[in-house]
């Protein structure tokens, strides 16, 4: 089906170890879904599998981006098809400036024969940096090198805003953020919410969801979704704790 | 294919034919007695010193250095059109304080410093001219450094035969803003060149010197023994950069030495791209307290090139800082050798000395050798050395792919990025961009 990110009966292993077990989830454009769950339950694996990371083996199932199965595609093709992953631990790329990095990513999306409009690019980059309260001097700095945890996360959102993806997967973007940085990041995300875009927000804690209000909340346990609901589910989870998932939801 | 390891690295042979060499040596002598004596002594040393063998610790891992000196010769200056081509191509940078161009050891073009700098006593002259006009000034400094890192025989040959290159003399308190550029070209098949750069910076002076080594044709067979000596006076700032982009049929030796006096700031930077075999020895002596020295190098090795780098950071006085960063990227079946030594003398307390060698292997057949070393005889010092050898990080690559950047572009950005911290040390944008282009042109990614 078009206009959604659809994960269908996905079974994924690392080596012989099953991580995702018949995992299914559909996120229509215009919606924000939160995926919550304790450590080691497969949330980050899901994000990386969708992005095409080679460490994981897809045994069966599909991931459909607007109806097109992306399993087996190269990571850069998947990215250009409109899927953006905000990393939990953004990598440092020594010697590659943010400006050149984002530029290379945008140029990879250009049609043949199209010319790159540098002044417009910098205008757009600076505007989004201002919004995310990133010093403009950062454009010349190497990607994430020597950045604080909060700076790295803001830089992820900056890239996301610049690349204008259809599907945004945010893997624990709130980790390592103080409350001020969290608000800045949430504001950046909220400004990107649109009927043409969907978000999957992976998080441990309900706190982020006070600022990015989700349409749906899913609770993950042992490689699959065990409970779905509206934003109140996140609050319930917060008050009852993950033992509740383990003892009640997982056995349900 | 590289020849098997040979006991002798260099078959004993003279340079070119004997009659020509004798005539050439005679042409160099006869005016300055101390220099004649020095050259004669060097010639004797060259003849009597044993050939290095691969068993020598200072030549360990140098497995591809075999060559025959008889294949090379001293030549006359090239014809005018060749000379002009070299001059026209000596254009890495336009905002300069002075420029010299040498073709096959012979001065081809000379733009002196302006009258203002001249009035302040700055000397920027071709070596041959400087020898005759300022013999007393350079007597204690010209060809005065010994090679401690293995190339003593080759440096002796350089001393006996060198007449190309420049003297840079900066008087007390004088600051030269734009760089002095010296281009050394090989243009004729089989030419042997001996470029020399002598920089004397007096107290509180400041100077940038850039040497560019290039061949007019990419496959021109040639032989080079270069030397650069920097004398950094108290509180001076001396920056010297070398861009070695000889033809891929060049055998290249270079032996540089820096003497850093009280509170001086020195920086050497070597970009090594060309040559079939290239050996670069760089020694730093910190003879007085409070000096600060950095040593950078960037090497791209491809094909069956072998780059052999030997360094020595000698802390002979307290409170000095030295920091070395040598980076190599290796393609194809290329080899690199980094052998570095930090020596801290017993009374060189509060020394900070660092040494880092990073090797990026871009081919499974490439071979990077690293021999970092420390000898510390003082007890109150901060010293570290480290060597890493690795490939492009697959997680970094995935991160870039996830932004939609195609694999080849991503790899290219990462490799180019590997050199940026060294390229960044070229302060002037024009030369930085030109050197970056040279570096990038070596990749067929």
């Amino acid at each position: 089906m078009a206009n959604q990110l659809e994960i269908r009966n996905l079974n994924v292993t690392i080596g012989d170890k099953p991580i995702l077990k018949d995992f299914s989830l559909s996120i229509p454009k215009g919606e924000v879904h939160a995926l919550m769950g304790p450590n080691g339950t497969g949330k980050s694996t899901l994000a990386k599998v969708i992005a095409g990371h080679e460490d994981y083996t897809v045994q069966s199932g599909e991931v459909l981006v607007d109806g097109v199965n992306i399993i087996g595609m190269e990571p850069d093709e998947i990215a250009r098809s409109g899927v953006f992953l905000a990393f939990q631990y953004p990598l440092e790329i020594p010697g590659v400036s943010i400006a050149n990095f984002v530029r290379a990513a945008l140029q990879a999306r250009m049609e043949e024969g199209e010319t790159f409009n540098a002044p417009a690019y910098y205008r757009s980059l600076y505007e989004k940096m201002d919004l995310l309260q990133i010093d403009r001097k950062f454009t010349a700095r190497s990607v994430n090198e020597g950045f604080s945890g909060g700076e790295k996360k803001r830089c992820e959102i900056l890239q996301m805003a610049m690349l204008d993806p259809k599907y945004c997967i945010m893997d624990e973007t709130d980790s390592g953020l103080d409350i001020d940085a969290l608000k800045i990041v949430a504001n950046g995300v909220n400004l990107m919410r649109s009927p043409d875009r969907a978000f999957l927000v992976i998080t441990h804690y309900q706190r982020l969801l006070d600022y990015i209000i989700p349409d749906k909340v899913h609770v993950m346990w042992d490689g699959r979704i065990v409970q779905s609901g509206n934003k109140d589910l996140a609050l319930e989870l917060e008050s009852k704790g993950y033992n509740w998932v383990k003892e009640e939801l997982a056995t349900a | 294919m590289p020849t098997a390891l040979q006991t002798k690295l260099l078959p004993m042979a003279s340079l070119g034919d004997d009659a020509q060499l004798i005539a050439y040596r005679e042409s160099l002598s006869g005016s300055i007695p101390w220099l004649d004596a020095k050259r004669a002594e060097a010639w004797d040393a060259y003849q009597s010193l044993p050939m290095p063998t691969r068993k020598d610790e200072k030549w360990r891992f140098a497995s591809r250095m075999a060559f025959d000196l008889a294949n090379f010769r001293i030549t006359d200056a090239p014809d005018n059109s060749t000379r002009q081509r070299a001059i026209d191509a000596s254009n890495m940078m336009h905002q300069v304080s002075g420029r010299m161009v040498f073709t096959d050891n012979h001065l081809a073009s000379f733009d002196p410093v302006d009258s203002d700098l001249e009035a302040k006593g700055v000397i920027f002259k071709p070596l041959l001219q400087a020898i005759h006009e300022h013999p007393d000034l350079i007597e204690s400094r010209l060809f005065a450094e010994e090679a401690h890192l293995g190339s003593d025989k080759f440096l002796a040959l350089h001393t006996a035969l060198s007449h190309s290159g420049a003297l840079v003399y900066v008087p007390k308190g004088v600051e030269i803003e734009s760089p002095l550029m010296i281009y050394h070209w090989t243009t004729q098949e089989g030419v042997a060149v001996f470029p020399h750069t002598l920089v004397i910076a007096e107290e509180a002076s400041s100077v940038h010197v850039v040497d560019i080594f290039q061949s007019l044709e990419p496959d021109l067979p040639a032989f080079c023994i270069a030397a650069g000596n920097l004398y950094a006076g108290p509180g001076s700032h001396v920056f010297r950069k070398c861009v070695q982009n000889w033809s891929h049929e060049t055998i290249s030796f270079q032996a540089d030495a820096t003497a850093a006096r009280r509170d001086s700031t020195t920086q050497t930077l070597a970009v090594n791209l060309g040559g079939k075999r290239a050996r670069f020895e760089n020694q730093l002596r910190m003879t007085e307290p409070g000096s600060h020295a950095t040593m950078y190098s960037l090497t791209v090795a491809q094909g069956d090139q072998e780059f052999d780098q030997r360094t020595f950071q000698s802390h002979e006085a307290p409170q000095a800082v030295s920091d070395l960063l040598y980076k190599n990227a290796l393609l194809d079946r290329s080899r690199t050798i980094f052998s570095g030594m930090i020596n801290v003398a017993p009374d060189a307390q509060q020394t900070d000395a660092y040494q880092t060698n990073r090797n990026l292997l871009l081919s499974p057949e490439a071979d990077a050798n690293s021999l970092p070393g420390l000898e510390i005889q003082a007890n109150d010092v901060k010293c570290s050395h480290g060597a890493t050898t690795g490939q492009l990080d697959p997680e970094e690559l995935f991160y870039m792919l996830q932004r939609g950047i195609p694999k080849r572009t991503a790899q290219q950005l990462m490799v180019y990025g590997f050199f940026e911290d060294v390229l960044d040390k070229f302060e002037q944008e024009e030369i930085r961009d030109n050197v970056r282009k040279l570096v990038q042109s070596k990749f067929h990614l």
Side-chain angles (χ1 to χ4, degrees), chain A residues 51 53 75-76 79-80 83-85 87 91-96 101 105 108-109 144 156 159, chain B residues 393-407 409 413-414 416-418 420-421:
Chain A
H53 197 289
D76 57 319
R80 291 194 300 272
V83 176
F84 183 95
L85 171 60
F87 281 59
L91 278 294
E92 300 186 4
I93 316 286
V96 181
F101 182 65
R109 288 162 169 80
N144 294 323
E156 291 294 286
Q159 293 171 43
Chain B
D393 184 300
E395 291 303 318
E396 287 175 29
L397 184 61
F398 175 70
Y399 183 71
M400 298 185 85
L401 295 176
Q402 212 300 307
R403 298 308 181 238
I405 300 172
K407 194 169 183 178
T409 311
L413 284 169
M414 287 169 75
Y416 297 168
F418 175 72
E420 276 301 311
D421 51 354

Short mmCIF file of all heavy atoms in Angstrom, two decimals, chain A residues 51 53 75-76 79-80 83-85 87 91-96 101 105 108-109 144 156 159, chain B residues 393-407 409 413-414 416-418 420-421:
data_model
loop_
_atom_site.label_atom_id
_atom_site.label_comp_id
_atom_site.label_asym_id
_atom_site.label_seq_id
_atom_site.Cartn_x
_atom_site.Cartn_y
_atom_site.Cartn_z
N ALA A 51 17.10 0.17 7.74
CA ALA A 51 18.11 0.98 7.04
C ALA A 51 19.04 0.14 6.19
O ALA A 51 19.88 0.68 5.48
CB ALA A 51 18.89 1.80 8.06
N HIS A 53 21.26 -2.43 7.26
CA HIS A 53 22.56 -2.78 7.83
C HIS A 53 22.89 -4.25 7.56
O HIS A 53 22.05 -5.13 7.71
CB HIS A 53 22.56 -2.53 9.34
CG HIS A 53 23.94 -2.48 9.92
ND1 HIS A 53 24.72 -3.59 10.06
CD2 HIS A 53 24.67 -1.44 10.39
CE1 HIS A 53 25.88 -3.24 10.60
NE2 HIS A 53 25.88 -1.94 10.82
N PRO A 75 21.98 0.13 1.47
CA PRO A 75 21.59 1.16 2.44
C PRO A 75 21.41 2.55 1.81
O PRO A 75 20.49 3.29 2.21
CB PRO A 75 22.76 1.18 3.43
CG PRO A 75 23.39 -0.16 3.32
CD PRO A 75 23.18 -0.61 1.91
N ASP A 76 22.25 2.89 0.84
CA ASP A 76 22.10 4.23 0.25
C ASP A 76 20.86 4.34 -0.62
O ASP A 76 20.21 5.39 -0.67
CB ASP A 76 23.37 4.63 -0.52
CG ASP A 76 23.74 3.65 -1.62
OD1 ASP A 76 23.65 2.43 -1.39
OD2 ASP A 76 24.12 4.10 -2.72
N ALA A 79 17.98 4.80 1.72
CA ALA A 79 17.96 6.18 2.21
C ALA A 79 17.36 7.11 1.16
O ALA A 79 16.50 7.95 1.47
CB ALA A 79 19.39 6.63 2.55
N ARG A 80 17.77 6.93 -0.08
CA ARG A 80 17.26 7.81 -1.13
C ARG A 80 15.79 7.54 -1.46
O ARG A 80 15.11 8.39 -2.02
CB ARG A 80 18.12 7.69 -2.39
CG ARG A 80 19.52 8.26 -2.22
CD ARG A 80 20.24 8.43 -3.55
NE ARG A 80 20.40 7.19 -4.28
CZ ARG A 80 21.43 6.34 -4.13
NH1 ARG A 80 22.39 6.62 -3.26
NH2 ARG A 80 21.49 5.23 -4.81
N VAL A 83 13.88 6.98 3.43
CA VAL A 83 13.95 6.52 4.83
C VAL A 83 15.16 7.15 5.52
O VAL A 83 16.29 7.04 5.03
CB VAL A 83 14.08 4.97 4.89
CG1 VAL A 83 14.25 4.51 6.33
CG2 VAL A 83 12.87 4.32 4.24
N PHE A 84 14.92 7.82 6.61
CA PHE A 84 16.02 8.43 7.37
C PHE A 84 16.09 7.82 8.75
O PHE A 84 15.08 7.68 9.44
CB PHE A 84 15.79 9.95 7.49
CG PHE A 84 16.93 10.66 8.19
CD1 PHE A 84 17.95 11.24 7.46
CD2 PHE A 84 16.98 10.74 9.59
CE1 PHE A 84 18.99 11.89 8.10
CE2 PHE A 84 18.03 11.37 10.22
CZ PHE A 84 19.04 11.95 9.48
N LEU A 85 17.30 7.45 9.15
CA LEU A 85 17.51 6.93 10.50
C LEU A 85 18.34 7.92 11.30
O LEU A 85 19.48 8.21 10.93
CB LEU A 85 18.22 5.57 10.43
CG LEU A 85 18.71 4.97 11.74
CD1 LEU A 85 17.57 4.74 12.72
CD2 LEU A 85 19.47 3.65 11.49
N PHE A 87 20.50 8.20 14.27
CA PHE A 87 21.22 7.16 14.99
C PHE A 87 21.20 7.39 16.50
O PHE A 87 21.25 8.52 16.98
CB PHE A 87 22.68 7.11 14.53
CG PHE A 87 22.90 6.39 13.23
CD1 PHE A 87 22.27 6.83 12.07
CD2 PHE A 87 23.74 5.29 13.15
CE1 PHE A 87 22.48 6.18 10.85
CE2 PHE A 87 23.96 4.64 11.94
CZ PHE A 87 23.32 5.08 10.79
N LEU A 91 27.90 8.49 14.29
CA LEU A 91 29.32 8.23 14.07
C LEU A 91 30.07 9.54 13.83
O LEU A 91 29.51 10.49 13.30
CB LEU A 91 29.50 7.33 12.85
CG LEU A 91 29.32 5.81 13.00
CD1 LEU A 91 30.41 5.23 13.89
CD2 LEU A 91 27.94 5.42 13.54
N GLU A 92 31.33 9.53 14.20
CA GLU A 92 32.19 10.67 13.88
C GLU A 92 32.89 10.40 12.55
O GLU A 92 33.42 9.32 12.34
CB GLU A 92 33.24 10.86 14.98
CG GLU A 92 32.60 11.13 16.34
CD GLU A 92 33.62 11.46 17.43
OE1 GLU A 92 34.82 11.54 17.11
OE2 GLU A 92 33.20 11.62 18.58
N ILE A 93 32.87 11.37 11.67
CA ILE A 93 33.53 11.22 10.37
C ILE A 93 34.65 12.26 10.28
O ILE A 93 34.42 13.39 9.86
CB ILE A 93 32.54 11.43 9.19
CG1 ILE A 93 31.21 10.71 9.43
CG2 ILE A 93 33.19 11.00 7.88
CD1 ILE A 93 31.26 9.22 9.26
N PRO A 94 35.87 11.87 10.64
CA PRO A 94 36.97 12.85 10.67
C PRO A 94 37.25 13.43 9.29
O PRO A 94 37.27 12.71 8.30
CB PRO A 94 38.18 12.03 11.16
CG PRO A 94 37.61 10.79 11.76
CD PRO A 94 36.32 10.54 11.06
N GLY A 95 37.44 14.73 9.25
CA GLY A 95 37.87 15.38 8.01
C GLY A 95 36.75 15.64 7.02
O GLY A 95 37.01 16.18 5.95
N VAL A 96 35.51 15.25 7.34
CA VAL A 96 34.39 15.54 6.45
C VAL A 96 33.49 16.56 7.15
O VAL A 96 32.90 16.26 8.19
CB VAL A 96 33.58 14.27 6.11
CG1 VAL A 96 32.44 14.60 5.17
CG2 VAL A 96 34.49 13.21 5.49
N PHE A 101 29.22 17.09 3.94
CA PHE A 101 28.50 15.83 4.17
C PHE A 101 27.05 15.94 3.71
O PHE A 101 26.57 15.13 2.90
CB PHE A 101 28.58 15.51 5.67
CG PHE A 101 27.94 14.22 6.09
CD1 PHE A 101 28.44 13.00 5.66
CD2 PHE A 101 26.85 14.22 6.95
CE1 PHE A 101 27.87 11.81 6.09
CE2 PHE A 101 26.27 13.05 7.37
CZ PHE A 101 26.78 11.84 6.93
N ALA A 105 25.06 14.31 0.40
CA ALA A 105 23.80 13.56 0.52
C ALA A 105 22.72 14.17 -0.37
O ALA A 105 21.94 13.45 -1.00
CB ALA A 105 23.35 13.55 1.99
N ALA A 108 23.44 13.47 -4.07
CA ALA A 108 23.12 12.08 -4.44
C ALA A 108 21.64 11.94 -4.82
O ALA A 108 21.25 10.96 -5.45
CB ALA A 108 23.46 11.14 -3.29
N ARG A 109 20.84 12.89 -4.41
CA ARG A 109 19.40 12.84 -4.70
C ARG A 109 19.02 13.67 -5.92
O ARG A 109 17.85 13.75 -6.28
CB ARG A 109 18.62 13.35 -3.48
CG ARG A 109 18.63 12.38 -2.31
CD ARG A 109 18.25 13.10 -1.01
NE ARG A 109 18.02 12.15 0.09
CZ ARG A 109 18.98 11.57 0.81
NH1 ARG A 109 20.24 11.82 0.54
NH2 ARG A 109 18.68 10.74 1.79
N ASN A 144 30.22 15.37 13.66
CA ASN A 144 30.14 14.79 15.01
C ASN A 144 31.46 14.71 15.77
O ASN A 144 31.48 14.29 16.93
CB ASN A 144 29.52 13.38 14.97
CG ASN A 144 28.07 13.41 14.53
OD1 ASN A 144 27.34 14.33 14.88
ND2 ASN A 144 27.66 12.43 13.74
N GLU A 156 21.86 15.26 14.12
CA GLU A 156 21.03 14.26 13.43
C GLU A 156 19.75 14.89 12.92
O GLU A 156 19.32 14.64 11.79
CB GLU A 156 20.68 13.10 14.40
CG GLU A 156 21.85 12.23 14.80
CD GLU A 156 22.43 11.43 13.65
OE1 GLU A 156 21.83 10.45 13.20
OE2 GLU A 156 23.51 11.83 13.17
N GLN A 159 20.32 17.06 9.91
CA GLN A 159 20.43 16.28 8.67
C GLN A 159 19.06 15.81 8.21
O GLN A 159 18.74 15.83 7.02
CB GLN A 159 21.35 15.06 8.89
CG GLN A 159 22.80 15.43 9.15
CD GLN A 159 23.62 14.23 9.59
OE1 GLN A 159 23.49 13.15 9.04
NE2 GLN A 159 24.43 14.41 10.61
N ASP B 393 36.36 2.40 8.42
CA ASP B 393 35.46 1.85 9.43
C ASP B 393 34.09 1.55 8.80
O ASP B 393 33.44 2.44 8.26
CB ASP B 393 35.31 2.88 10.55
CG ASP B 393 34.46 2.36 11.69
OD1 ASP B 393 33.27 2.04 11.46
OD2 ASP B 393 34.96 2.28 12.81
N PRO B 394 33.66 0.27 8.87
CA PRO B 394 32.40 -0.08 8.20
C PRO B 394 31.18 0.63 8.81
O PRO B 394 30.21 0.89 8.11
CB PRO B 394 32.29 -1.60 8.39
CG PRO B 394 33.30 -1.96 9.42
CD PRO B 394 34.34 -0.89 9.45
N GLU B 395 31.23 0.95 10.11
CA GLU B 395 30.10 1.65 10.73
C GLU B 395 30.03 3.11 10.26
O GLU B 395 28.93 3.65 10.06
CB GLU B 395 30.18 1.57 12.26
CG GLU B 395 29.95 0.17 12.82
CD GLU B 395 28.60 -0.45 12.41
OE1 GLU B 395 27.57 0.25 12.41
OE2 GLU B 395 28.60 -1.65 12.07
N GLU B 396 31.19 3.72 10.10
CA GLU B 396 31.19 5.09 9.54
C GLU B 396 30.64 5.07 8.12
O GLU B 396 29.88 5.95 7.72
CB GLU B 396 32.62 5.67 9.53
CG GLU B 396 33.14 6.05 10.90
CD GLU B 396 34.60 6.51 10.86
OE1 GLU B 396 35.04 7.04 9.83
OE2 GLU B 396 35.29 6.30 11.88
N LEU B 397 31.04 4.04 7.37
CA LEU B 397 30.56 3.92 5.99
C LEU B 397 29.04 3.75 5.97
O LEU B 397 28.34 4.41 5.19
CB LEU B 397 31.25 2.73 5.32
CG LEU B 397 30.92 2.51 3.84
CD1 LEU B 397 31.36 3.71 3.00
CD2 LEU B 397 31.60 1.24 3.32
N PHE B 398 28.54 2.90 6.87
CA PHE B 398 27.08 2.68 6.93
C PHE B 398 26.35 3.99 7.24
O PHE B 398 25.32 4.29 6.66
CB PHE B 398 26.75 1.61 7.99
CG PHE B 398 25.27 1.41 8.20
CD1 PHE B 398 24.49 0.81 7.23
CD2 PHE B 398 24.65 1.86 9.36
CE1 PHE B 398 23.13 0.63 7.41
CE2 PHE B 398 23.28 1.69 9.55
CZ PHE B 398 22.53 1.07 8.57
N TYR B 399 26.92 4.74 8.15
CA TYR B 399 26.32 6.03 8.53
C TYR B 399 26.20 6.94 7.30
O TYR B 399 25.17 7.57 7.07
CB TYR B 399 27.19 6.68 9.60
CG TYR B 399 26.68 7.98 10.16
CD1 TYR B 399 25.56 8.02 10.99
CD2 TYR B 399 27.32 9.18 9.88
CE1 TYR B 399 25.11 9.21 11.52
CE2 TYR B 399 26.89 10.38 10.41
CZ TYR B 399 25.78 10.40 11.23
OH TYR B 399 25.32 11.58 11.75
N MET B 400 27.24 6.97 6.50
CA MET B 400 27.21 7.83 5.31
C MET B 400 26.24 7.29 4.27
O MET B 400 25.51 8.04 3.63
CB MET B 400 28.61 7.96 4.73
CG MET B 400 29.57 8.62 5.70
SD MET B 400 31.19 8.93 4.99
CE MET B 400 30.91 10.47 4.19
N LEU B 401 26.24 5.97 4.10
CA LEU B 401 25.28 5.36 3.16
C LEU B 401 23.86 5.68 3.57
O LEU B 401 22.99 5.94 2.75
CB LEU B 401 25.47 3.84 3.10
CG LEU B 401 26.80 3.32 2.55
CD1 LEU B 401 26.85 1.79 2.67
CD2 LEU B 401 26.98 3.72 1.09
N GLN B 402 23.61 5.64 4.90
CA GLN B 402 22.26 5.89 5.38
C GLN B 402 21.79 7.30 5.07
O GLN B 402 20.62 7.62 5.13
CB GLN B 402 22.17 5.61 6.90
CG GLN B 402 20.79 5.08 7.33
CD GLN B 402 19.66 6.04 7.04
OE1 GLN B 402 19.71 7.21 7.42
NE2 GLN B 402 18.62 5.57 6.35
N ARG B 403 22.72 8.17 4.74
CA ARG B 403 22.29 9.52 4.33
C ARG B 403 22.03 9.57 2.82
O ARG B 403 21.78 10.64 2.27
CB ARG B 403 23.35 10.54 4.74
CG ARG B 403 23.57 10.62 6.26
CD ARG B 403 22.25 10.82 7.00
NE ARG B 403 22.42 10.93 8.44
CZ ARG B 403 21.83 10.11 9.32
NH1 ARG B 403 21.05 9.11 8.91
NH2 ARG B 403 22.00 10.29 10.62
N GLY B 404 22.20 8.42 2.16
CA GLY B 404 21.92 8.36 0.73
C GLY B 404 23.14 8.60 -0.13
O GLY B 404 23.06 8.66 -1.35
N ILE B 405 24.31 8.73 0.52
CA ILE B 405 25.55 8.96 -0.23
C ILE B 405 26.00 7.63 -0.84
O ILE B 405 26.14 6.64 -0.13
CB ILE B 405 26.64 9.55 0.70
CG1 ILE B 405 26.15 10.88 1.29
CG2 ILE B 405 27.94 9.74 -0.06
CD1 ILE B 405 27.04 11.45 2.37
N PRO B 406 26.23 7.57 -2.15
CA PRO B 406 26.65 6.31 -2.77
C PRO B 406 27.98 5.83 -2.20
O PRO B 406 28.81 6.64 -1.76
CB PRO B 406 26.79 6.66 -4.26
CG PRO B 406 26.03 7.93 -4.45
CD PRO B 406 26.08 8.64 -3.14
N LYS B 407 28.19 4.52 -2.25
CA LYS B 407 29.34 3.91 -1.59
C LYS B 407 30.68 4.52 -2.05
O LYS B 407 31.53 4.84 -1.22
CB LYS B 407 29.34 2.41 -1.87
CG LYS B 407 30.26 1.62 -0.98
CD LYS B 407 29.98 0.14 -1.14
CE LYS B 407 30.86 -0.68 -0.21
NZ LYS B 407 30.56 -2.11 -0.32
N THR B 409 31.34 7.42 -3.38
CA THR B 409 31.49 8.80 -2.89
C THR B 409 31.80 8.80 -1.40
O THR B 409 32.65 9.55 -0.92
CB THR B 409 30.18 9.59 -3.14
OG1 THR B 409 29.80 9.40 -4.49
CG2 THR B 409 30.36 11.06 -2.85
N LEU B 413 35.06 10.36 0.36
CA LEU B 413 35.00 11.39 1.40
C LEU B 413 35.77 10.96 2.64
O LEU B 413 36.47 11.76 3.27
CB LEU B 413 33.54 11.68 1.77
CG LEU B 413 32.73 12.53 0.80
CD1 LEU B 413 31.25 12.50 1.16
CD2 LEU B 413 33.23 13.97 0.79
N MET B 414 35.65 9.68 2.99
CA MET B 414 36.34 9.20 4.19
C MET B 414 37.86 9.22 4.01
O MET B 414 38.60 9.61 4.91
CB MET B 414 35.88 7.78 4.53
CG MET B 414 34.47 7.73 5.10
SD MET B 414 33.82 6.05 5.19
CE MET B 414 34.73 5.42 6.59
N TYR B 416 39.60 11.07 1.81
CA TYR B 416 40.06 12.45 1.75
C TYR B 416 40.01 13.07 3.15
O TYR B 416 40.88 13.86 3.53
CB TYR B 416 39.20 13.27 0.78
CG TYR B 416 39.28 12.81 -0.67
CD1 TYR B 416 38.39 13.28 -1.61
CD2 TYR B 416 40.25 11.90 -1.07
CE1 TYR B 416 38.45 12.86 -2.94
CE2 TYR B 416 40.32 11.46 -2.39
CZ TYR B 416 39.42 11.95 -3.31
OH TYR B 416 39.48 11.53 -4.62
N GLY B 417 38.98 12.69 3.88
CA GLY B 417 38.83 13.22 5.24
C GLY B 417 39.98 12.82 6.14
O GLY B 417 40.37 13.57 7.03
N PHE B 418 40.54 11.65 5.88
CA PHE B 418 41.67 11.14 6.66
C PHE B 418 42.84 12.12 6.65
O PHE B 418 43.60 12.22 7.60
CB PHE B 418 42.07 9.79 6.05
CG PHE B 418 43.29 9.14 6.64
CD1 PHE B 418 43.24 8.58 7.91
CD2 PHE B 418 44.48 9.07 5.93
CE1 PHE B 418 44.36 7.95 8.45
CE2 PHE B 418 45.60 8.44 6.47
CZ PHE B 418 45.54 7.88 7.73
N GLU B 420 42.57 15.49 6.11
CA GLU B 420 42.23 16.90 6.27
C GLU B 420 42.96 17.56 7.44
O GLU B 420 43.32 18.73 7.37
CB GLU B 420 40.71 17.08 6.42
CG GLU B 420 39.98 17.13 5.10
CD GLU B 420 40.45 18.26 4.18
OE1 GLU B 420 40.55 19.41 4.63
OE2 GLU B 420 40.73 17.97 3.00
N ASP B 421 43.18 16.82 8.54
CA ASP B 421 43.83 17.49 9.67
C ASP B 421 45.26 17.89 9.34
O ASP B 421 45.77 18.87 9.87
CB ASP B 421 43.75 16.66 10.97
CG ASP B 421 44.22 15.23 10.81
OD1 ASP B 421 44.50 14.81 9.68
OD2 ASP B 421 44.30 14.53 11.84
#
